[in-house]
Amino acid sequence: MENEISTLYEDRANCKEINILKTILPYVNSTSQKNISMLISYMQLQRTMEFFENPENTMQISAMERKDNTVDLLNAIKSQCNEQEQHQIDHFLNAMQMLSTYDILFNGGQN
């Protein structure tokens, strides 16, 4: 699901022109790289703003959203973290699982 939203966003934030500019970067000097990078960021921001101005697009993203799924959110974030951060997230996920098990055992999962 998060990949669907990421892909949807990436498809809207990028276009052929932006991809061409990204391809050019390694072939130009550092000053030009800086200027082209800023142009790319500006173009992506502009396309993103245009995307979210359309109510149909925001409804499409809302339909794909997951509500209140902390475990999936943390697992998705974990793929972007270094090893130490991944271990911290794993510890937090384990604690959440223990609390959930405790709740089920002693409160019947009513909370």
Side-chain angles (χ1 to χ4, degrees):
M1 184 78 58
E2 73 268 356
N3 289 338
E4 291 177 37
I5 293 174
S6 283
T7 302
L8 179 66
Y9 173 76
E10 290 297 324
D11 289 346
R12 300 299 189 248
N14 289 312
C15 62
K16 183 171 86 173
E17 292 82 6
I18 290 173
N19 289 332
I20 289 171
L21 289 171
K22 288 179 179 180
T23 303
I24 291 171
L25 283 174
Y27 300 97
V28 296
N29 64 39
S30 61
T31 302
S32 295
Q33 284 180 352
K34 175 185 171 188
N35 293 331
I36 292 171
S37 294
M38 290 189 319
L39 176 62
I40 289 168
S41 295
Y42 172 76
M43 290 172 69
Q44 288 178 322
L45 177 61
Q46 187 175 33
R47 289 180 57 84
T48 301
M49 288 171 31
E50 289 169 0
F51 175 77
F52 284 105
E53 285 174 359
N54 183 345
E56 187 175 303
N57 292 334
T58 54
M59 287 178 9
Q60 184 179 6
I61 288 177
S62 293
M64 288 189 285
E65 287 179 353
R66 292 184 186 179
K67 303 290 186 210
D68 195 31
N69 198 336
T70 307
V71 172
D72 287 344
L73 172 66
L74 289 172
N75 280 317
I77 291 171
K78 196 166 77 168
S79 67
Q80 303 300 315
C81 296
N82 64 37
E83 190 174 333
Q84 180 184 3
E85 294 164 334
Q86 289 177 357
H87 287 301
Q88 290 172 336
I89 290 173
D90 285 336
H91 290 303
F92 185 72
L93 288 169
N94 287 337
M96 285 179 57
Q97 180 62 42
M98 287 189 308
L99 288 172
S100 176
T101 302
Y102 177 87
D103 184 48
I104 291 169
L105 289 174
F106 296 102
N107 297 324
Q110 298 300 318
N111 289 340

